[in-house]
Amino acid sequence: MAADAYDLDQEWQRRFPAMNGTIACPCALKVSWQCHEPGGGYVEGHLPAVNSTGEPKPSRRDFDAWCHIGAPGTHVARVLMNPRSGLIQGAEEYLRYTAQRRGVDPVVAERLQAVLKEWDAAKPGASGE
């Protein structure tokens, strides 16, 4: 399968607050912006690029939008690796199916079930109101 999706980091959400989730198609690669002001220094409010574990990317200085785009992967892989974004972006049925499917790695299934439980608890009226 060819890579068809990318994870975008929190700097993308800061710059584009109307974004719906952080999984993007290759069209994100066409967006361009700089991390620095013309005179030097980061733009106001800049959030540093991080790796998949949330740690700052080592030995790399943020310079533009490319620093804030994660590694390419299939859409399925990105949804499984970032299920909260997958839920926001419409993959609820797939994630529910996968969380219960026989043969799914138990660690993955447990993580998906936990995210789905949080998702369900956050729905209006979920607390019995």
Side-chain angles (χ1 to χ4, degrees):
M1 293 183 125
D4 62 357
Y6 299 83
D7 280 327
L8 305 179
D9 71 8
Q10 296 303 307
E11 178 65 358
W12 278 86
Q13 285 200 301
R14 185 187 75 78
R15 288 176 182 257
F16 303 98
M19 256 176 43
N20 191 16
T22 59
I23 299 170
C25 66
C27 59
L29 305 179
K30 297 175 186 171
V31 177
S32 178
W33 40 266
Q34 299 295 313
C35 294
H36 294 93
E37 295 284 356
Y42 287 116
V43 297
E44 185 178 339
H46 177 266
L47 299 172
V50 295
N51 62 24
S52 61
T53 63
E55 299 294 320
K57 288 185 177 177
S59 69
R60 194 157 109 168
R61 187 171 156 236
D62 298 357
F63 54 90
D64 65 12
W66 281 88
C67 296
H68 298 276
I69 297 174
T74 64
H75 198 165
V76 169
R78 293 289 143 228
V79 167
L80 291 176
M81 293 174 79
N82 192 349
R84 283 180 185 82
S85 189
L87 286 166
I88 292 167
Q89 292 178 266
E92 183 174 356
E93 184 177 337
Y94 172 75
L95 289 166
R96 287 190 187 283
Y97 166 76
T98 303
Q100 302 300 323
R101 193 178 77 216
R102 200 167 49 190
V104 171
D105 181 283
V107 173
V108 171
E110 186 176 324
R111 185 170 51 85
L112 294 180
Q113 290 165 7
V115 170
L116 287 162
K117 185 176 180 180
E118 290 173 13
W119 176 259
D120 291 340
K123 287 181 180 174
S127 62
E129 297 174 2

